[in-house]
Amino acid sequence: MSVSSNKGLWSFILPTFLTLGAITVTPILATFGISLLYINLTMPGPPMFVGLENYAELMADSRFWNSAVVTAELIFIPVAAQIAIGLLLAMVLKEKLAGTRWMRMAFLLPAVIPPAVSGLIWKLFIVPGAGGLAWLGGVFGADMSLDLLSMPSSALAVVIVASVWTGTPFVALLFLSSLESVGDDQYEAARIDGASWFQSHWHISLPELRPAIITVTVFRILEALAIFPIIFVLTGGGPAGSTEPVNYLAYVNGFEYLRVDYAATIIVSFFIVMMALCAPFLVGIARREAKEAR
Amino acid sequence: MLRTREKLFCYGVAALFIAFLLAPILWMLSSSFKGPLGIFAKPPVLVGDVTLENYRQVLSDKTFLRSFLNSILVSAGTVLASMLLALPAAYGLSRLRSVAKAGLLSWVLLVRAAPGMIFVIPYFVAFNQIGLMDTRTGLIVINTVFTAPLAIWILIAFFDAIPLEIEEAAVVDGATRWQTFLRVSLPMAAPGIVSAAILVFIFSWNEFLFALTLTQVEAKTAAVAILNYMAYQGTEWGKIAAAGIIILLPVAVFAVAIRKYFIQTAAGGVKG
């Protein structure tokens, strides 16, 4: 036997994948199934098969369409901001200025703080008239005592800021690690040719980061709705549904209105859309990984 | 070399962002040491009536302490379950040369990309029927749904880095594949295993949706139990701030401990 053969390898792989199949594929299929049923947890009686009726209801549900728009806003605005600011920060950190080592460590924080605690951190920071924002306003002589969470547009803005806060430092560190392979001499050469700091990064760093930008964007899009705990703590989806993305709407239906069938319908629809958008890309990454290694 | 103006610009950007990043955290830290007077002072104060009362109350709150213990046990259990599943699979996939490999890897990524809600609904129904509702075991199972694929993806890279010649030597000495894996490959991948384990621990510690929906009292974890202080009679911000600091401290320490690997591993597939 040689270690370069496949012999015996399936005994490593199969037990895990069979277990994972049982605890992941089964539930996903079950959720699909539940979305085709009528289940009323508040009334006795077995579930009824209703086909695509829940989906028909969904298509006519204005609250769902509102949450679809909120979902788009909560995915694309924060991800665009995270990528743009992350790029700028990576370029700044690449310069090895005084204190950048400490900055890198501080940058880890938002990525590891429990999201529910992040939500509380922001909620406490903007307590009307008594939070850190009001304190900062006092220092700079501006009145910052508005109740930001009471109005739809400002509540959405707060959630977006919290989402940018959570994701940006991590994105910056990812880009920075991709930039590590670029030697300082490349920038020096550009500088000698008269390029400014910004130009040198535009022409050297950006092309280098291109693949990383694409990958990071896809993963940030897939993970954008992981801010569920932040929304739960900050706004509860309100006011007037202004911060209610689809996964939150599914939660409300399943666990407040006890309509698990409708909750399943919502999340399955979302899953299908996301997979249609991102699956080809994920498969591509997996293929590359499979080829690259050995 | 940077020109002075460019240097100023870089420092400016860095300082602004660090202020944005740290201000809310520092505000929670300072609030955790404030008494009721300081918390609701108008205009607000940065340092109020300094007291340890919030920490004393949180640390003597039996409900919170139980949730903290639950967080430790659930996270440890999730690490154990994920590693038992992920280590052999990652090793096998790393060594596998077959068209099936890309398929299995795609599947790992797709599962990781599925929204948590899609799992919550059937697990909620099933746990109610088989008595796993509000148990730490149940929470470990559903956490593993997410963390095992994550761990597999991370560990493959570390097994890939082990030279085949070293395993070849063990095989020549008559070791079986499993013996080679246990005695040669595992010890060599130790740094990777530790950072993958820490990452799984952090994920499980921070997990909110599953704990919110699948536990009520007994198995509630700290990340959800902290919301008890946002009760009907008004939010107890002092206790929330103290509890928040207590909850984020362990994961912050862990993240700094594995900072060398953190970006590489946490990205889990996000590489250039």
Side-chain angles (χ1 to χ4, degrees), chain B residues 10-54:
Chain B
C10 287
Y11 274 115
V13 169
L16 261 181
F17 191 79
I18 275 290
F20 168 63
L21 191 157
L22 291 183
I25 303 177
L26 291 177
W27 188 259
M28 177 177 261
L29 187 64
S30 90
S31 300
S32 72
F33 293 110
K34 285 179 193 168
L37 285 175
I39 292 267
F40 292 108
K42 287 190 186 187
V45 288
L46 186 58
V47 181
D49 37 343
V50 177
T51 169
L52 289 174
E53 187 59 19
N54 296 319

mmCIF file of all heavy atoms in Angstrom, chain B residues 10-54:
data_model
loop_
_atom_site.group_PDB
_atom_site.id
_atom_site.type_symbol
_atom_site.label_atom_id
_atom_site.label_comp_id
_atom_site.label_asym_id
_atom_site.label_seq_id
_atom_site.Cartn_x
_atom_site.Cartn_y
_atom_site.Cartn_z
ATOM 1 N N CYS B 10 -2.884 58.776 5.785
ATOM 2 C CA CYS B 10 -2.963 57.414 6.297
ATOM 3 C C CYS B 10 -3.257 57.408 7.795
ATOM 4 O O CYS B 10 -4.112 56.663 8.281
ATOM 5 C CB CYS B 10 -1.662 56.651 6.022
ATOM 6 S SG CYS B 10 -1.465 56.203 4.294
ATOM 7 N N TYR B 11 -2.537 58.250 8.536
ATOM 8 C CA TYR B 11 -2.788 58.314 9.977
ATOM 9 C C TYR B 11 -4.211 58.776 10.255
ATOM 10 O O TYR B 11 -4.880 58.275 11.155
ATOM 11 C CB TYR B 11 -1.787 59.250 10.660
ATOM 12 C CG TYR B 11 -0.505 58.569 11.044
ATOM 13 C CD1 TYR B 11 0.707 58.923 10.468
ATOM 14 C CD2 TYR B 11 -0.517 57.544 11.994
ATOM 15 C CE1 TYR B 11 1.886 58.281 10.801
ATOM 16 C CE2 TYR B 11 0.659 56.892 12.339
ATOM 17 C CZ TYR B 11 1.856 57.269 11.747
ATOM 18 O OH TYR B 11 3.010 56.617 12.091
ATOM 19 N N GLY B 12 -4.668 59.722 9.448
ATOM 20 C CA GLY B 12 -6.025 60.231 9.635
ATOM 21 C C GLY B 12 -7.064 59.137 9.447
ATOM 22 O O GLY B 12 -7.950 58.954 10.281
ATOM 23 N N VAL B 13 -6.942 58.385 8.341
ATOM 24 C CA VAL B 13 -7.882 57.300 8.062
ATOM 25 C C VAL B 13 -7.852 56.275 9.196
ATOM 26 O O VAL B 13 -8.887 55.853 9.720
ATOM 27 C CB VAL B 13 -7.542 56.609 6.720
ATOM 28 C CG1 VAL B 13 -8.334 55.326 6.553
ATOM 29 C CG2 VAL B 13 -7.794 57.558 5.560
ATOM 30 N N ALA B 14 -6.617 55.892 9.583
ATOM 31 C CA ALA B 14 -6.479 54.883 10.635
ATOM 32 C C ALA B 14 -7.099 55.366 11.936
ATOM 33 O O ALA B 14 -7.852 54.632 12.592
ATOM 34 C CB ALA B 14 -4.996 54.543 10.837
ATOM 35 N N ALA B 15 -6.832 56.600 12.301
ATOM 36 C CA ALA B 15 -7.343 57.117 13.578
ATOM 37 C C ALA B 15 -8.863 57.197 13.565
ATOM 38 O O ALA B 15 -9.527 56.791 14.521
ATOM 39 C CB ALA B 15 -6.749 58.499 13.850
ATOM 40 N N LEU B 16 -9.412 57.685 12.460
ATOM 41 C CA LEU B 16 -10.866 57.784 12.353
ATOM 42 C C LEU B 16 -11.527 56.422 12.516
ATOM 43 O O LEU B 16 -12.492 56.250 13.251
ATOM 44 C CB LEU B 16 -11.251 58.359 10.992
ATOM 45 C CG LEU B 16 -11.581 59.847 10.922
ATOM 46 C CD1 LEU B 16 -11.953 60.223 9.500
ATOM 47 C CD2 LEU B 16 -12.721 60.161 11.878
ATOM 48 N N PHE B 17 -10.969 55.439 11.793
ATOM 49 C CA PHE B 17 -11.616 54.134 11.835
ATOM 50 C C PHE B 17 -11.474 53.478 13.206
ATOM 51 O O PHE B 17 -12.409 52.851 13.703
ATOM 52 C CB PHE B 17 -11.064 53.200 10.750
ATOM 53 C CG PHE B 17 -11.910 51.959 10.610
ATOM 54 C CD1 PHE B 17 -13.100 52.009 9.912
ATOM 55 C CD2 PHE B 17 -11.543 50.780 11.235
ATOM 56 C CE1 PHE B 17 -13.909 50.888 9.826
ATOM 57 C CE2 PHE B 17 -12.349 49.657 11.147
ATOM 58 C CZ PHE B 17 -13.531 49.715 10.431
ATOM 59 N N ILE B 18 -10.294 53.627 13.820
ATOM 60 C CA ILE B 18 -10.097 53.046 15.148
ATOM 61 C C ILE B 18 -11.072 53.681 16.146
ATOM 62 O O ILE B 18 -11.635 53.006 17.011
ATOM 63 C CB ILE B 18 -8.630 53.230 15.600
ATOM 64 C CG1 ILE B 18 -7.781 52.091 15.053
ATOM 65 C CG2 ILE B 18 -8.507 53.257 17.097
ATOM 66 C CD1 ILE B 18 -8.055 50.733 15.684
ATOM 67 N N ALA B 19 -11.303 54.990 15.990
ATOM 68 C CA ALA B 19 -12.266 55.659 16.877
ATOM 69 C C ALA B 19 -13.657 55.072 16.682
ATOM 70 O O ALA B 19 -14.357 54.752 17.652
ATOM 71 C CB ALA B 19 -12.277 57.158 16.595
ATOM 72 N N PHE B 20 -14.048 54.895 15.411
ATOM 73 C CA PHE B 20 -15.356 54.307 15.092
ATOM 74 C C PHE B 20 -15.473 52.892 15.658
ATOM 75 O O PHE B 20 -16.497 52.486 16.190
ATOM 76 C CB PHE B 20 -15.514 54.307 13.568
ATOM 77 C CG PHE B 20 -16.663 53.499 13.037
ATOM 78 C CD1 PHE B 20 -17.975 53.827 13.352
ATOM 79 C CD2 PHE B 20 -16.439 52.411 12.198
ATOM 80 C CE1 PHE B 20 -19.034 53.086 12.849
ATOM 81 C CE2 PHE B 20 -17.492 51.666 11.700
ATOM 82 C CZ PHE B 20 -18.802 52.005 12.032
ATOM 83 N N LEU B 21 -14.362 52.138 15.554
ATOM 84 C CA LEU B 21 -14.373 50.745 15.993
ATOM 85 C C LEU B 21 -14.433 50.636 17.515
ATOM 86 O O LEU B 21 -15.193 49.833 18.062
ATOM 87 C CB LEU B 21 -13.100 50.059 15.444
ATOM 88 C CG LEU B 21 -12.951 48.550 15.530
ATOM 89 C CD1 LEU B 21 -11.960 48.092 14.479
ATOM 90 C CD2 LEU B 21 -12.470 48.108 16.883
ATOM 91 N N LEU B 22 -13.642 51.451 18.186
ATOM 92 C CA LEU B 22 -13.507 51.274 19.634
ATOM 93 C C LEU B 22 -14.528 52.061 20.455
ATOM 94 O O LEU B 22 -14.873 51.649 21.560
ATOM 95 C CB LEU B 22 -12.093 51.642 20.081
ATOM 96 C CG LEU B 22 -10.984 50.691 19.637
ATOM 97 C CD1 LEU B 22 -9.646 51.145 20.204
ATOM 98 C CD2 LEU B 22 -11.271 49.254 20.074
ATOM 99 N N ALA B 23 -15.017 53.190 19.917
ATOM 100 C CA ALA B 23 -15.887 54.041 20.733
ATOM 101 C C ALA B 23 -17.059 53.281 21.371
ATOM 102 O O ALA B 23 -17.244 53.370 22.588
ATOM 103 C CB ALA B 23 -16.383 55.234 19.910
ATOM 104 N N PRO B 24 -17.837 52.525 20.586
ATOM 105 C CA PRO B 24 -18.975 51.840 21.217
ATOM 106 C C PRO B 24 -18.539 50.796 22.243
ATOM 107 O O PRO B 24 -19.206 50.618 23.265
ATOM 108 C CB PRO B 24 -19.691 51.164 20.047
ATOM 109 C CG PRO B 24 -19.089 51.701 18.817
ATOM 110 C CD PRO B 24 -17.761 52.268 19.137
ATOM 111 N N ILE B 25 -17.412 50.112 21.965
ATOM 112 C CA ILE B 25 -16.944 49.090 22.917
ATOM 113 C C ILE B 25 -16.509 49.767 24.210
ATOM 114 O O ILE B 25 -16.857 49.320 25.312
ATOM 115 C CB ILE B 25 -15.766 48.284 22.329
ATOM 116 C CG1 ILE B 25 -16.170 47.634 21.001
ATOM 117 C CG2 ILE B 25 -15.306 47.217 23.318
ATOM 118 C CD1 ILE B 25 -15.043 46.881 20.323
ATOM 119 N N LEU B 26 -15.744 50.860 24.079
ATOM 120 C CA LEU B 26 -15.261 51.553 25.272
ATOM 121 C C LEU B 26 -16.427 52.144 26.068
ATOM 122 O O LEU B 26 -16.389 52.191 27.299
ATOM 123 C CB LEU B 26 -14.264 52.651 24.885
ATOM 124 C CG LEU B 26 -12.945 52.120 24.335
ATOM 125 C CD1 LEU B 26 -12.033 53.261 23.911
ATOM 126 C CD2 LEU B 26 -12.246 51.238 25.372
ATOM 127 N N TRP B 27 -17.460 52.571 25.339
ATOM 128 C CA TRP B 27 -18.629 53.108 26.043
ATOM 129 C C TRP B 27 -19.294 52.011 26.886
ATOM 130 O O TRP B 27 -19.705 52.233 28.013
ATOM 131 C CB TRP B 27 -19.623 53.712 25.057
ATOM 132 C CG TRP B 27 -20.741 54.429 25.750
ATOM 133 C CD1 TRP B 27 -22.004 53.961 25.964
ATOM 134 C CD2 TRP B 27 -20.683 55.721 26.361
ATOM 135 N NE1 TRP B 27 -22.734 54.881 26.660
ATOM 136 C CE2 TRP B 27 -21.951 55.980 26.914
ATOM 137 C CE3 TRP B 27 -19.675 56.687 26.483
ATOM 138 C CZ2 TRP B 27 -22.249 57.153 27.589
ATOM 139 C CZ3 TRP B 27 -19.974 57.867 27.160
ATOM 140 C CH2 TRP B 27 -21.245 58.089 27.701
ATOM 141 N N MET B 28 -19.375 50.807 26.330
ATOM 142 C CA MET B 28 -19.944 49.713 27.127
ATOM 143 C C MET B 28 -19.036 49.418 28.323
ATOM 144 O O MET B 28 -19.517 49.208 29.442
ATOM 145 C CB MET B 28 -20.129 48.453 26.282
ATOM 146 C CG MET B 28 -20.649 47.282 27.107
ATOM 147 S SD MET B 28 -20.982 45.787 26.168
ATOM 148 C CE MET B 28 -22.742 45.897 25.951
ATOM 149 N N LEU B 29 -17.715 49.423 28.068
ATOM 150 C CA LEU B 29 -16.779 49.155 29.171
ATOM 151 C C LEU B 29 -16.958 50.185 30.284
ATOM 152 O O LEU B 29 -17.061 49.834 31.470
ATOM 153 C CB LEU B 29 -15.346 49.175 28.633
ATOM 154 C CG LEU B 29 -14.252 48.750 29.615
ATOM 155 C CD1 LEU B 29 -14.433 47.287 30.011
ATOM 156 C CD2 LEU B 29 -12.870 48.958 29.006
ATOM 157 N N SER B 30 -17.034 51.463 29.924
ATOM 158 C CA SER B 30 -17.159 52.485 30.962
ATOM 159 C C SER B 30 -18.530 52.394 31.640
ATOM 160 O O SER B 30 -18.635 52.570 32.854
ATOM 161 C CB SER B 30 -16.911 53.880 30.373
ATOM 162 O OG SER B 30 -18.104 54.452 29.920
ATOM 163 N N SER B 31 -19.572 52.055 30.852
ATOM 164 C CA SER B 31 -20.903 51.927 31.455
ATOM 165 C C SER B 31 -20.961 50.796 32.462
ATOM 166 O O SER B 31 -21.724 50.848 33.426
ATOM 167 C CB SER B 31 -21.957 51.679 30.377
ATOM 168 O OG SER B 31 -21.989 52.737 29.473
ATOM 169 N N SER B 32 -20.136 49.746 32.215
ATOM 170 C CA SER B 32 -20.193 48.592 33.108
ATOM 171 C C SER B 32 -19.700 48.958 34.508
ATOM 172 O O SER B 32 -19.970 48.249 35.464
ATOM 173 C CB SER B 32 -19.366 47.436 32.535
ATOM 174 O OG SER B 32 -17.985 47.709 32.642
ATOM 175 N N PHE B 33 -18.975 50.088 34.616
ATOM 176 C CA PHE B 33 -18.485 50.519 35.931
ATOM 177 C C PHE B 33 -19.310 51.672 36.501
ATOM 178 O O PHE B 33 -18.918 52.284 37.474
ATOM 179 C CB PHE B 33 -17.010 50.944 35.841
ATOM 180 C CG PHE B 33 -16.092 49.802 35.536
ATOM 181 C CD1 PHE B 33 -15.459 49.723 34.303
ATOM 182 C CD2 PHE B 33 -15.862 48.805 36.476
ATOM 183 C CE1 PHE B 33 -14.612 48.662 34.006
ATOM 184 C CE2 PHE B 33 -15.016 47.748 36.185
ATOM 185 C CZ PHE B 33 -14.391 47.676 34.948
ATOM 186 N N LYS B 34 -20.435 51.993 35.832
ATOM 187 C CA LYS B 34 -21.239 53.119 36.307
ATOM 188 C C LYS B 34 -22.379 52.641 37.191
ATOM 189 O O LYS B 34 -22.983 51.600 36.932
ATOM 190 C CB LYS B 34 -21.858 53.864 35.116
ATOM 191 C CG LYS B 34 -20.893 54.722 34.332
ATOM 192 C CD LYS B 34 -21.647 55.384 33.178
ATOM 193 C CE LYS B 34 -20.711 55.993 32.164
ATOM 194 N NZ LYS B 34 -21.431 56.365 30.932
ATOM 195 N N GLY B 35 -22.702 53.437 38.177
ATOM 196 C CA GLY B 35 -23.914 53.194 38.954
ATOM 197 C C GLY B 35 -25.092 53.774 38.210
ATOM 198 O O GLY B 35 -24.925 54.360 37.140
ATOM 199 N N PRO B 36 -26.309 53.616 38.745
ATOM 200 C CA PRO B 36 -27.506 54.115 38.060
ATOM 201 C C PRO B 36 -27.431 55.611 37.762
ATOM 202 O O PRO B 36 -27.935 56.064 36.731
ATOM 203 C CB PRO B 36 -28.644 53.812 39.036
ATOM 204 C CG PRO B 36 -28.040 53.203 40.233
ATOM 205 C CD PRO B 36 -26.602 52.928 39.983
ATOM 206 N N LEU B 37 -26.775 56.370 38.634
ATOM 207 C CA LEU B 37 -26.672 57.818 38.402
ATOM 208 C C LEU B 37 -25.867 58.104 37.144
ATOM 209 O O LEU B 37 -26.245 58.929 36.315
ATOM 210 C CB LEU B 37 -26.000 58.494 39.593
ATOM 211 C CG LEU B 37 -26.871 58.651 40.832
ATOM 212 C CD1 LEU B 37 -26.063 59.231 41.990
ATOM 213 C CD2 LEU B 37 -28.067 59.538 40.513
ATOM 214 N N GLY B 38 -24.741 57.403 36.997
ATOM 215 C CA GLY B 38 -23.865 57.629 35.852
ATOM 216 C C GLY B 38 -24.494 57.170 34.560
ATOM 217 O O GLY B 38 -24.349 57.807 33.520
ATOM 218 N N ILE B 39 -25.224 56.039 34.605
ATOM 219 C CA ILE B 39 -25.819 55.490 33.388
ATOM 220 C C ILE B 39 -26.809 56.464 32.771
ATOM 221 O O ILE B 39 -26.830 56.654 31.560
ATOM 222 C CB ILE B 39 -26.551 54.164 33.716
ATOM 223 C CG1 ILE B 39 -25.557 53.090 34.111
ATOM 224 C CG2 ILE B 39 -27.413 53.722 32.547
ATOM 225 C CD1 ILE B 39 -25.071 52.216 33.013
ATOM 226 N N PHE B 40 -27.618 57.098 33.618
ATOM 227 C CA PHE B 40 -28.670 57.940 33.063
ATOM 228 C C PHE B 40 -28.376 59.427 33.201
ATOM 229 O O PHE B 40 -29.268 60.248 33.080
ATOM 230 C CB PHE B 40 -30.011 57.597 33.707
ATOM 231 C CG PHE B 40 -30.471 56.221 33.310
ATOM 232 C CD1 PHE B 40 -30.459 55.171 34.207
ATOM 233 C CD2 PHE B 40 -30.873 55.976 32.001
ATOM 234 C CE1 PHE B 40 -30.857 53.903 33.822
ATOM 235 C CE2 PHE B 40 -31.271 54.712 31.620
ATOM 236 C CZ PHE B 40 -31.262 53.669 32.524
ATOM 237 N N ALA B 41 -27.107 59.747 33.456
ATOM 238 C CA ALA B 41 -26.743 61.158 33.596
ATOM 239 C C ALA B 41 -27.048 61.909 32.306
ATOM 240 O O ALA B 41 -26.758 61.437 31.205
ATOM 241 C CB ALA B 41 -25.261 61.274 33.941
ATOM 242 N N LYS B 42 -27.686 63.069 32.433
ATOM 243 C CA LYS B 42 -27.919 63.935 31.273
ATOM 244 C C LYS B 42 -27.388 65.321 31.601
ATOM 245 O O LYS B 42 -27.830 65.907 32.572
ATOM 246 C CB LYS B 42 -29.419 64.001 30.951
ATOM 247 C CG LYS B 42 -29.903 62.702 30.333
ATOM 248 C CD LYS B 42 -31.310 62.834 29.783
ATOM 249 C CE LYS B 42 -31.782 61.437 29.311
ATOM 250 N NZ LYS B 42 -33.044 61.449 28.616
ATOM 251 N N PRO B 43 -26.462 65.825 30.835
ATOM 252 C CA PRO B 43 -25.791 65.164 29.708
ATOM 253 C C PRO B 43 -24.941 63.977 30.189
ATOM 254 O O PRO B 43 -24.523 63.950 31.327
ATOM 255 C CB PRO B 43 -24.915 66.280 29.146
ATOM 256 C CG PRO B 43 -24.683 67.209 30.290
ATOM 257 C CD PRO B 43 -25.915 67.146 31.115
ATOM 258 N N PRO B 44 -24.714 63.028 29.272
ATOM 259 C CA PRO B 44 -24.002 61.813 29.648
ATOM 260 C C PRO B 44 -22.564 62.085 30.091
ATOM 261 O O PRO B 44 -21.966 63.079 29.679
ATOM 262 C CB PRO B 44 -23.999 60.974 28.371
ATOM 263 C CG PRO B 44 -24.623 61.785 27.313
ATOM 264 C CD PRO B 44 -25.115 63.042 27.866
ATOM 265 N N VAL B 45 -22.053 61.213 30.936
ATOM 266 C CA VAL B 45 -20.667 61.345 31.382
ATOM 267 C C VAL B 45 -19.888 60.121 30.955
ATOM 268 O O VAL B 45 -20.434 59.025 30.884
ATOM 269 C CB VAL B 45 -20.577 61.508 32.916
ATOM 270 C CG1 VAL B 45 -21.066 62.878 33.317
ATOM 271 C CG2 VAL B 45 -21.358 60.412 33.604
ATOM 272 N N LEU B 46 -18.587 60.323 30.673
ATOM 273 C CA LEU B 46 -17.746 59.190 30.255
ATOM 274 C C LEU B 46 -17.426 58.311 31.450
ATOM 275 O O LEU B 46 -17.529 57.091 31.390
ATOM 276 C CB LEU B 46 -16.461 59.717 29.608
ATOM 277 C CG LEU B 46 -15.547 58.657 29.005
ATOM 278 C CD1 LEU B 46 -16.286 57.846 27.945
ATOM 279 C CD2 LEU B 46 -14.328 59.308 28.383
ATOM 280 N N VAL B 47 -17.045 58.957 32.548
ATOM 281 C CA VAL B 47 -16.783 58.201 33.776
ATOM 282 C C VAL B 47 -17.761 58.703 34.825
ATOM 283 O O VAL B 47 -17.759 59.881 35.180
ATOM 284 C CB VAL B 47 -15.336 58.420 34.266
ATOM 285 C CG1 VAL B 47 -15.086 57.603 35.532
ATOM 286 C CG2 VAL B 47 -14.356 58.038 33.172
ATOM 287 N N GLY B 48 -18.593 57.790 35.295
ATOM 288 C CA GLY B 48 -19.593 58.196 36.279
ATOM 289 C C GLY B 48 -19.149 57.829 37.675
ATOM 290 O O GLY B 48 -17.954 57.820 37.985
ATOM 291 N N ASP B 49 -20.129 57.523 38.497
ATOM 292 C CA ASP B 49 -19.842 57.059 39.844
ATOM 293 C C ASP B 49 -19.254 55.655 39.778
ATOM 294 O O ASP B 49 -19.984 54.689 39.662
ATOM 295 C CB ASP B 49 -21.125 57.064 40.670
ATOM 296 C CG ASP B 49 -22.328 56.648 39.833
ATOM 297 O OD1 ASP B 49 -22.219 56.675 38.590
ATOM 298 O OD2 ASP B 49 -23.357 56.261 40.406
ATOM 299 N N VAL B 50 -17.930 55.543 39.807
ATOM 300 C CA VAL B 50 -17.274 54.257 39.557
ATOM 301 C C VAL B 50 -17.640 53.215 40.623
ATOM 302 O O VAL B 50 -17.535 53.483 41.821
ATOM 303 C CB VAL B 50 -15.744 54.411 39.520
ATOM 304 C CG1 VAL B 50 -15.078 53.053 39.330
ATOM 305 C CG2 VAL B 50 -15.345 55.365 38.406
ATOM 306 N N THR B 51 -18.108 52.047 40.146
ATOM 307 C CA THR B 51 -18.528 51.006 41.078
ATOM 308 C C THR B 51 -18.353 49.633 40.432
ATOM 309 O O THR B 51 -18.381 49.499 39.210
ATOM 310 C CB THR B 51 -20.006 51.200 41.476
ATOM 311 O OG1 THR B 51 -20.445 50.036 42.163
ATOM 312 C CG2 THR B 51 -20.887 51.388 40.249
ATOM 313 N N LEU B 52 -18.192 48.619 41.264
ATOM 314 C CA LEU B 52 -18.112 47.242 40.755
ATOM 315 C C LEU B 52 -19.441 46.526 40.949
ATOM 316 O O LEU B 52 -19.547 45.319 40.721
ATOM 317 C CB LEU B 52 -16.994 46.473 41.454
ATOM 318 C CG LEU B 52 -15.575 46.892 41.070
ATOM 319 C CD1 LEU B 52 -14.551 46.170 41.932
ATOM 320 C CD2 LEU B 52 -15.313 46.587 39.597
ATOM 321 N N GLU B 53 -20.457 47.299 41.367
ATOM 322 C CA GLU B 53 -21.743 46.716 41.735
ATOM 323 C C GLU B 53 -22.350 45.886 40.587
ATOM 324 O O GLU B 53 -22.882 44.804 40.816
ATOM 325 C CB GLU B 53 -22.695 47.843 42.146
ATOM 326 C CG GLU B 53 -24.030 47.385 42.714
ATOM 327 C CD GLU B 53 -23.896 46.507 43.951
ATOM 328 O OE1 GLU B 53 -22.827 46.523 44.586
ATOM 329 O OE2 GLU B 53 -24.858 45.788 44.263
ATOM 330 N N ASN B 54 -22.256 46.402 39.323
ATOM 331 C CA ASN B 54 -22.841 45.667 38.193
ATOM 332 C C ASN B 54 -22.236 44.277 38.061
ATOM 333 O O ASN B 54 -22.946 43.289 37.866
ATOM 334 C CB ASN B 54 -22.621 46.443 36.894
ATOM 335 C CG ASN B 54 -23.332 47.774 36.905
ATOM 336 O OD1 ASN B 54 -24.464 47.862 37.361
ATOM 337 N ND2 ASN B 54 -22.651 48.802 36.434
#
